[in-house]
Coordinates of all heavy atoms in Angstrom, one line a residue:
M8 N -71.0 145.1 216.6 CA -70.9 144.5 218.0 C -70.8 145.6 219.0 O -70.0 146.5 218.8 CB -69.6 143.6 218.0 CG -69.5 142.9 219.3 SD -68.2 141.6 219.3 CE -66.8 142.6 219.8
R9 N -71.6 145.5 220.0 CA -71.6 146.5 221.0 C -70.5 146.3 222.0 O -70.3 145.2 222.5 CB -73.0 146.4 221.8 CG -73.2 147.6 222.7 CD -74.6 147.5 223.2 NE -74.9 146.3 224.1 CZ -74.7 146.3 225.4 NH1 -74.4 147.4 226.0 NH2 -74.9 145.2 226.1
V10 N -69.8 147.4 222.4 CA -68.7 147.3 223.3 C -69.2 147.6 224.7 O -69.8 148.7 224.9 CB -67.5 148.2 223.0 CG1 -66.4 148.2 224.0 CG2 -67.0 147.9 221.6
D11 N -69.1 146.7 225.7 CA -69.5 147.0 227.0 C -68.3 147.3 227.9 O -67.5 146.4 228.2 CB -70.3 145.7 227.5 CG -70.9 145.9 228.9 OD1 -71.0 147.1 229.4 OD2 -71.4 144.9 229.5
P12 N -68.2 148.5 228.3 CA -67.0 148.9 229.1 C -67.0 148.2 230.5 O -66.0 148.1 231.2 CB -67.1 150.4 229.3 CG -68.5 150.8 229.0 CD -69.0 149.7 228.1
Q13 N -68.2 147.7 231.0 CA -68.3 147.1 232.3 C -67.7 145.7 232.3 O -67.3 145.2 233.3 CB -69.7 147.1 232.7 CG -70.4 148.4 232.8 CD -70.3 149.0 234.2 OE1 -70.0 148.3 235.1 NE2 -70.3 150.3 234.3
N14 N -67.7 145.0 231.1 CA -67.3 143.6 231.0 C -66.3 143.5 229.8 O -66.7 142.9 228.8 CB -68.5 142.8 230.8 CG -68.2 141.3 231.0 OD1 -67.1 140.9 231.4 ND2 -69.2 140.5 230.6
P15 N -65.1 144.0 229.9 CA -64.2 143.8 228.8 C -63.7 142.4 228.6 O -63.4 141.7 229.6 CB -63.0 144.7 229.2 CG -63.0 144.7 230.7 CD -64.5 144.6 231.1
Q16 N -63.7 141.9 227.4 CA -63.3 140.5 227.1 C -62.4 140.5 225.9 O -62.5 141.4 225.1 CB -64.5 139.6 226.9 CG -65.4 139.5 228.1 CD -66.7 138.6 227.7 OE1 -66.8 138.2 226.6 NE2 -67.5 138.4 228.7
I17 N -61.6 139.5 225.8 CA -60.7 139.3 224.7 C -61.5 138.4 223.7 O -61.9 137.3 224.0 CB -59.4 138.6 225.1 CG1 -58.6 139.5 226.0 CG2 -58.6 138.3 223.8 CD1 -57.4 138.9 226.6
N18 N -61.6 138.9 222.4 CA -62.2 138.1 221.4 C -61.1 137.4 220.6 O -60.4 138.0 219.9 CB -63.0 139.1 220.5 CG -63.9 138.3 219.5 OD1 -63.7 137.1 219.3 ND2 -64.7 139.1 218.7
I19 N -61.0 136.1 220.8 CA -60.0 135.3 220.2 C -60.0 135.4 218.6 O -59.0 135.2 218.0 CB -60.0 133.9 220.7 CG1 -58.6 133.2 220.4 CG2 -61.1 133.1 220.1 CD1 -57.5 133.6 221.3
S20 N -61.2 135.6 218.1 CA -61.3 135.6 216.6 C -60.7 136.9 216.0 O -60.4 136.9 214.8 CB -62.7 135.5 216.2 OG -63.5 136.6 216.6
K21 N -60.4 137.9 216.8 CA -59.9 139.1 216.3 C -58.3 139.2 216.4 O -57.7 140.1 215.9 CB -60.4 140.3 217.1 CG -61.9 140.5 217.0 CD -62.3 140.8 215.6 CE -63.8 141.0 215.5 NZ -64.3 141.3 214.2
I22 N -57.7 138.2 217.1 CA -56.3 138.1 217.2 C -55.7 137.5 215.9 O -56.0 136.4 215.5 CB -55.9 137.3 218.4 CG1 -56.4 137.9 219.7 CG2 -54.3 137.2 218.5 CD1 -56.1 137.1 220.9
V23 N -54.9 138.3 215.2 CA -54.3 137.9 214.0 C -53.0 137.2 214.2 O -52.1 137.7 214.8 CB -54.0 139.1 213.0 CG1 -53.4 138.7 211.7 CG2 -55.3 139.9 212.8
V24 N -52.9 135.9 213.8 CA -51.7 135.1 213.9 C -51.4 134.4 212.6 O -52.3 133.8 212.1 CB -51.9 134.0 215.0 CG1 -50.7 133.1 215.1 CG2 -52.2 134.6 216.4
G25 N -50.2 134.7 212.1 CA -49.8 134.1 210.8 C -49.3 132.7 211.0 O -49.3 132.1 212.1
G26 N -48.8 132.2 209.9 CA -48.2 130.8 210.0 C -46.8 131.0 210.5 O -46.3 132.0 211.0
G27 N -46.1 129.9 210.5 CA -44.7 129.8 210.9 C -44.6 129.6 212.4 O -45.5 129.1 213.1
I28 N -43.5 130.0 213.0 CA -43.2 129.7 214.4 C -44.1 130.5 215.3 O -44.5 130.0 216.4 CB -41.7 130.0 214.7 CG1 -41.3 129.5 216.1 CG2 -41.4 131.5 214.6 CD1 -41.3 128.0 216.1
A29 N -44.6 131.7 214.9 CA -45.5 132.5 215.8 C -46.8 131.8 215.9 O -47.4 131.7 217.0 CB -45.6 133.9 215.2
G30 N -47.3 131.2 214.8 CA -48.6 130.5 214.8 C -48.5 129.2 215.6 O -49.4 128.9 216.4
V31 N -47.4 128.5 215.5 CA -47.2 127.3 216.3 C -47.1 127.6 217.8 O -47.8 127.0 218.6 CB -45.9 126.6 215.8 CG1 -45.6 125.4 216.8 CG2 -46.1 126.0 214.4
F32 N -46.4 128.7 218.1 CA -46.3 129.1 219.5 C -47.6 129.5 220.1 O -48.0 129.1 221.2 CB -45.3 130.2 219.7 CG -45.1 130.8 221.1 CD1 -44.5 130.0 222.0 CD2 -45.7 132.0 221.4 CE1 -44.4 130.5 223.3 CE2 -45.6 132.4 222.7 CZ -44.9 131.7 223.7
F33 N -48.4 130.2 219.3 CA -49.8 130.6 219.8 C -50.7 129.4 220.0 O -51.4 129.3 221.0 CB -50.4 131.6 218.7 CG -51.7 132.1 219.1 CD1 -51.9 133.1 220.0 CD2 -52.9 131.5 218.5 CE1 -53.2 133.5 220.4 CE2 -54.1 132.0 218.9 CZ -54.3 133.0 219.8
A34 N -50.7 128.5 219.1 CA -51.5 127.3 219.2 C -51.1 126.4 220.4 O -51.9 126.0 221.2 CB -51.5 126.5 217.9
L35 N -49.8 126.2 220.5 CA -49.3 125.4 221.7 C -49.6 126.1 223.0 O -49.9 125.4 224.0 CB -47.8 125.0 221.5 CG -47.6 124.1 220.3 CD1 -46.0 123.9 220.2 CD2 -48.3 122.8 220.5
S36 N -49.3 127.4 223.1 CA -49.5 128.0 224.3 C -51.1 128.1 224.7 O -51.4 127.9 225.9 CB -49.0 129.5 224.3 OG -49.6 130.2 223.3
G37 N -51.9 128.3 223.7 CA -53.3 128.2 224.0 C -53.8 126.8 224.5 O -54.6 126.7 225.4
M38 N -53.2 125.8 223.8 CA -53.6 124.4 224.2 C -53.1 124.2 225.7 O -53.8 123.6 226.5 CB -52.9 123.5 223.3 CG -53.3 122.0 223.5 SD -52.5 120.9 222.3 CE -50.8 121.2 222.6
L39 N -51.9 124.6 226.0 CA -51.3 124.4 227.3 C -52.2 125.2 228.4 O -52.4 124.6 229.5 CB -49.9 124.9 227.4 CG -49.1 124.7 228.6 CD1 -48.9 123.2 228.9 CD2 -47.8 125.4 228.6
I40 N -52.6 126.3 228.1 CA -53.5 127.1 229.0 C -54.7 126.3 229.3 O -55.2 126.2 230.5 CB -53.8 128.5 228.5 CG1 -52.5 129.4 228.5 CG2 -54.9 129.1 229.2 CD1 -52.7 130.7 227.8
F41 N -55.4 125.8 228.3 CA -56.6 125.0 228.5 C -56.3 123.7 229.3 O -57.1 123.2 230.1 CB -57.3 124.7 227.2 CG -58.1 125.8 226.7 CD1 -57.7 126.6 225.6 CD2 -59.3 126.2 227.3 CE1 -58.4 127.6 225.2 CE2 -60.1 127.2 226.9 CZ -59.6 128.0 225.8
L42 N -55.2 123.0 229.0 CA -54.8 121.8 229.7 C -54.6 122.0 231.2 O -54.9 121.2 232.0 CB -53.6 121.1 229.0 CG -53.9 120.4 227.7 CD1 -52.6 119.9 227.1 CD2 -54.9 119.3 227.8
I43 N -54.0 123.1 231.5 CA -53.7 123.5 232.9 C -55.0 124.0 233.6 O -55.2 123.6 234.7 CB -52.6 124.5 233.0 CG1 -51.2 123.9 232.5 CG2 -52.5 125.1 234.4 CD1 -50.1 124.9 232.4
G44 N -55.7 124.8 232.9 CA -56.9 125.4 233.5 C -58.1 124.4 233.7 O -58.9 124.6 234.6
I45 N -58.3 123.4 232.8 CA -59.4 122.5 232.9 C -58.8 121.1 233.1 O -58.5 120.5 232.1 CB -60.3 122.7 231.7 CG1 -60.7 124.1 231.5 CG2 -61.5 121.8 231.8 CD1 -61.5 124.3 230.2
P46 N -58.8 120.6 234.3 CA -58.1 119.3 234.5 C -58.8 118.1 233.8 O -58.1 117.2 233.4 CB -58.2 119.1 236.0 CG -58.4 120.5 236.6 CD -59.1 121.2 235.5
M47 N -60.1 118.2 233.5 CA -60.7 117.0 232.9 C -60.2 116.9 231.4 O -60.2 115.8 230.9 CB -62.3 117.3 232.9 CG -63.0 116.1 232.4 SD -62.7 114.7 233.5 CE -63.4 113.4 232.5
I48 N -59.8 118.0 230.8 CA -59.3 117.9 229.4 C -58.0 117.1 229.4 O -57.7 116.5 228.3 CB -59.1 119.3 228.9 CG1 -60.5 120.0 228.7 CG2 -58.4 119.3 227.5 CD1 -60.4 121.4 228.2
R49 N -57.3 117.0 230.5 CA -56.0 116.3 230.5 C -56.3 114.8 230.2 O -55.4 114.1 229.6 CB -55.3 116.4 231.8 CG -54.8 117.7 232.1 CD -54.2 117.8 233.5 NE -54.2 119.2 233.9 CZ -54.1 119.5 235.2 NH1 -54.1 118.6 236.1 NH2 -54.1 120.8 235.5
Y50 N -57.4 114.3 230.5 CA -57.7 112.9 230.3 C -58.3 112.7 228.9 O -58.1 111.6 228.3 CB -58.6 112.3 231.3 CG -58.1 112.5 232.7 CD1 -58.6 113.4 233.6 CD2 -57.0 111.8 233.1 CE1 -58.1 113.5 234.9 CE2 -56.4 111.9 234.4 CZ -57.0 112.8 235.3 OH -56.5 113.0 236.5
A51 N -59.1 113.6 228.4 CA -59.7 113.5 227.1 C -58.8 113.8 225.9 O -59.0 113.3 224.8 CB -60.9 114.4 227.1
F52 N -57.7 114.6 226.2 CA -56.9 115.1 225.1 C -56.1 113.9 224.5 O -56.1 113.9 223.2 CB -55.9 116.1 225.7 CG -55.0 116.7 224.6 CD1 -55.5 117.5 223.6 CD2 -53.6 116.4 224.6 CE1 -54.6 118.1 222.7 CE2 -52.8 116.9 223.7 CZ -53.3 117.8 222.7
P53 N -55.5 113.0 225.2 CA -54.8 111.9 224.5 C -55.8 111.0 223.7 O -55.4 110.6 222.6 CB -54.2 111.1 225.6 CG -54.0 112.1 226.8 CD -55.2 113.0 226.6
A54 N -57.0 110.8 224.2 CA -57.9 110.0 223.5 C -58.4 110.7 222.2 O -58.5 110.1 221.2 CB -59.2 109.8 224.4
A55 N -58.5 112.1 222.3 CA -58.9 112.8 221.1 C -57.8 112.8 220.0 O -58.0 112.6 218.8 CB -59.2 114.3 221.5
I56 N -56.5 112.8 220.4 CA -55.4 112.7 219.5 C -55.4 111.3 218.8 O -55.2 111.3 217.6 CB -54.1 113.0 220.2 CG1 -54.0 114.4 220.7 CG2 -52.9 112.7 219.3 CD1 -53.9 115.5 219.6
I57 N -55.5 110.3 219.6 CA -55.5 108.9 219.1 C -56.7 108.7 218.1 O -56.5 108.2 217.0 CB -55.5 107.9 220.2 CG1 -54.2 108.0 220.9 CG2 -55.8 106.5 219.6 CD1 -54.2 107.2 222.2
L58 N -57.9 109.2 218.5 CA -59.1 109.1 217.7 C -58.9 109.9 216.4 O -59.2 109.4 215.3 CB -60.3 109.5 218.4 CG -61.6 109.3 217.7 CD1 -61.9 107.9 217.4 CD2 -62.7 110.0 218.5
G59 N -58.4 111.1 216.5 CA -58.2 111.9 215.3 C -57.2 111.3 214.3 O -57.4 111.3 213.1
C60 N -56.1 110.7 214.8 CA -55.1 110.1 214.0 C -55.7 108.8 213.3 O -55.4 108.5 212.1 CB -53.9 109.7 214.8 SG -52.9 111.1 215.2
G61 N -56.6 108.1 214.0 CA -57.2 106.9 213.4 C -58.2 107.3 212.3 O -58.2 106.7 211.3
V62 N -58.9 108.4 212.5 CA -59.9 108.8 211.4 C -59.0 109.3 210.3 O -59.4 109.1 209.1 CB -60.8 110.0 212.0 CG1 -61.5 110.6 210.9 CG2 -61.8 109.4 213.0
A63 N -57.9 110.0 210.5 CA -57.1 110.5 209.4 C -56.5 109.3 208.6 O -56.5 109.4 207.4 CB -56.0 111.4 209.9
L64 N -56.1 108.3 209.3 CA -55.6 107.1 208.6 C -56.6 106.4 207.7 O -56.4 106.0 206.6 CB -55.0 106.1 209.6 CG -53.6 106.5 210.1 CD1 -53.2 105.5 211.2 CD2 -52.6 106.4 208.9
V65 N -57.8 106.3 208.3 CA -58.9 105.6 207.5 C -59.3 106.5 206.3 O -59.4 105.9 205.2 CB -60.2 105.5 208.4 CG1 -61.4 105.1 207.6 CG2 -59.9 104.4 209.5
L66 N -59.3 107.7 206.4 CA -59.7 108.6 205.3 C -58.5 108.6 204.3 O -58.8 108.7 203.1 CB -60.0 110.0 205.7 CG -61.3 110.2 206.5 CD1 -61.4 111.7 206.9 CD2 -62.5 109.8 205.6
H67 N -57.3 108.5 204.7 CA -56.2 108.5 203.8 C -56.1 107.2 203.0 O -55.8 107.3 201.8 CB -54.9 108.7 204.6 CG -53.7 108.6 203.8 ND1 -53.3 109.7 202.9 CD2 -52.7 107.7 203.6 CE1 -52.2 109.4 202.3 NE2 -51.8 108.2 202.7
F68 N -56.4 106.1 203.6 CA -56.3 104.8 202.9 C -57.5 104.3 202.3 O -57.6 103.2 201.7 CB -55.7 103.8 203.8 CG -54.2 104.0 204.1 CD1 -53.8 104.4 205.4 CD2 -53.3 103.9 203.2 CE1 -52.5 104.6 205.7 CE2 -51.9 104.2 203.4 CZ -51.5 104.5 204.7
K69 N -58.6 105.0 202.5 CA -59.9 104.6 201.9 C -59.8 104.7 200.4 O -59.4 105.7 199.8 CB -61.1 105.5 202.4 CG -62.4 105.0 201.9 CD -63.5 105.9 202.5 CE -64.8 105.5 201.9 NZ -65.9 106.4 202.2
K70 N -60.2 103.6 199.7 CA -60.2 103.6 198.2 C -61.4 104.2 197.6 O -62.6 103.9 198.1 CB -60.1 102.1 197.7 CG -58.9 101.4 198.3 CD -57.6 102.0 197.6 CE -56.4 101.2 198.1 NZ -55.2 101.7 197.8
H71 N -61.3 105.1 196.7 CA -62.4 105.7 196.0 C -62.5 105.1 194.6 O -61.4 104.8 193.9 CB -62.2 107.2 195.9 CG -62.2 107.8 197.3 ND1 -63.3 108.0 198.0 CD2 -61.2 108.4 198.0 CE1 -63.0 108.6 199.2 NE2 -61.7 108.8 199.2
K72 N -63.7 105.0 194.0 CA -63.8 104.5 192.6 C -63.1 105.5 191.6 O -62.4 105.1 190.8 CB -65.3 104.4 192.3 CG -66.0 103.4 193.0 CD -67.5 103.3 192.7 CE -68.2 102.3 193.6 NZ -69.6 102.3 193.3
N73 N -63.3 106.8 191.8 CA -62.7 107.7 191.0 C -62.0 108.7 191.9 O -62.6 109.5 192.6 CB -63.7 108.5 190.1 CG -63.1 109.5 189.2 OD1 -61.9 109.7 189.2 ND2 -63.9 110.2 188.4
P74 N -60.6 108.7 191.9 CA -59.9 109.5 192.9 C -60.2 111.0 192.7 O -59.9 111.8 193.6 CB -58.5 109.2 192.6 CG -58.4 108.5 191.3 CD -59.8 108.0 191.0
Y75 N -60.6 111.5 191.5 CA -60.8 112.9 191.3 C -62.3 113.3 191.6 O -62.6 114.5 191.5 CB -60.4 113.3 190.0 CG -58.9 113.1 189.8 CD1 -58.5 112.0 189.0 CD2 -58.0 113.9 190.4 CE1 -57.1 111.8 188.9 CE2 -56.6 113.6 190.3 CZ -56.2 112.6 189.5 OH -54.9 112.3 189.4
A76 N -63.2 112.3 191.8 CA -64.6 112.6 192.1 C -64.8 113.2 193.5 O -64.1 112.8 194.4 CB -65.4 111.4 191.9
S77 N -65.7 114.0 193.6 CA -66.0 114.6 194.9 C -66.7 113.6 195.8 O -67.6 112.9 195.4 CB -66.8 115.9 194.8 OG -67.1 116.3 196.1
W78 N -66.2 113.4 197.0 CA -66.8 112.4 198.0 C -67.6 113.2 199.0 O -68.2 112.5 199.9 CB -65.8 111.5 198.6 CG -64.7 112.3 199.3 CD1 -63.6 112.8 198.8 CD2 -64.6 112.5 200.7 NE1 -62.8 113.4 199.7 CE2 -63.4 113.2 200.9 CE3 -65.5 112.3 201.8 CZ2 -63.1 113.6 202.2 CZ3 -65.1 112.7 203.0 CH2 -63.9 113.4 203.2
I79 N -67.7 114.5 198.9 CA -68.5 115.2 199.9 C -69.9 115.3 199.3 O -70.2 115.7 198.2 CB -68.0 116.7 200.1 CG1 -66.6 116.6 200.6 CG2 -68.9 117.5 201.0 CD1 -65.9 118.0 200.6
L80 N -70.9 114.8 200.1 CA -72.3 114.6 199.6 C -72.9 115.9 199.2 O -73.6 115.9 198.2 CB -73.1 113.9 200.7 CG -72.7 112.5 201.1 CD1 -73.5 111.9 202.2 CD2 -72.7 111.6 199.8
S81 N -72.7 117.0 199.9 CA -73.4 118.2 199.6 C -72.8 118.8 198.3 O -73.5 119.5 197.6 CB -73.2 119.2 200.7 OG -71.8 119.5 200.8
D82 N -71.6 118.4 197.9 CA -71.1 118.9 196.6 C -71.6 118.1 195.4 O -71.6 118.6 194.3 CB -69.6 118.7 196.7 CG -68.9 119.4 195.5 OD1 -69.5 120.5 195.1 OD2 -67.9 118.9 195.0
T83 N -72.1 116.8 195.6 CA -72.5 116.0 194.5 C -74.0 116.3 194.2 O -74.5 115.9 193.1 CB -72.4 114.5 194.9 OG1 -73.1 114.2 196.0 CG2 -70.9 114.2 195.0
K84 N -74.8 116.9 195.1 CA -76.2 117.2 194.8 C -76.3 118.4 193.9 O -75.5 119.4 194.0 CB -76.9 117.4 196.1 CG -77.0 116.2 197.0 CD -77.8 116.6 198.3 CE -77.8 115.4 199.2 NZ -78.5 115.7 200.4
K85 N -77.2 118.3 193.0 CA -77.4 119.5 192.1 C -78.8 120.1 192.2 O -79.7 119.5 192.6 CB -77.2 119.0 190.6 CG -75.8 118.7 190.4 CD -75.6 118.4 188.9 CE -74.1 118.1 188.7 NZ -73.8 117.9 187.3

C-alpha cells in the first residue's frame, strides 16, 4: 500500500482491538460516532436492530432435517 503524506488517513482495519471491555468500548464508541455524525442513521439503526433480532430468531428456531448437516449451500456442492 502506497503511503501518501499529503492525505494521511486512519485505516480502521489496522487498529488491533481484543475482546473484553476494550473491544466493547471500541465498538460502542465507534457506533456512537457514526450515530452523531450521520443523522439519517439514527432512524435506520433501531429498524436494523429489530430486523436483525427477527432474522436471528427465525434462524434459531428453524427446524432442520438433520441438525448436524450443513445448511450452507456452497458447502453442500461438490
Side-chain angles (χ1 to χ4, degrees):
M8 184 168 89
R9 189 172 66 93
V10 178
D11 186 9
Q13 302 271 334
N14 191 11
Q16 297 178 356
I17 297 173
N18 187 352
I19 196 76
S20 66
K21 300 294 182 185
I22 298 175
V23 180
V24 177
I28 192 70
V31 171
F32 178 73
F33 180 78
L35 290 177
S36 61
M38 183 178 64
L39 186 65
I40 289 170
F41 280 106
L42 286 174
I43 290 171
I45 307 172
M47 188 62 195
I48 293 178
R49 294 181 202 154
Y50 302 112
F52 183 70
I56 294 294
I57 292 170
L58 182 65
C60 289
V62 169
L64 282 172
V65 167
L66 290 176
H67 178 73
F68 290 113
K69 182 178 178 188
K70 301 290 183 192
H71 298 286
K72 293 178 184 176
N73 183 358
Y75 298 106
S77 177
W78 57 276
I79 300 175
L80 296 177
S81 64
D82 189 35
T83 59
K84 296 180 182 177
K85 291 187 177 184

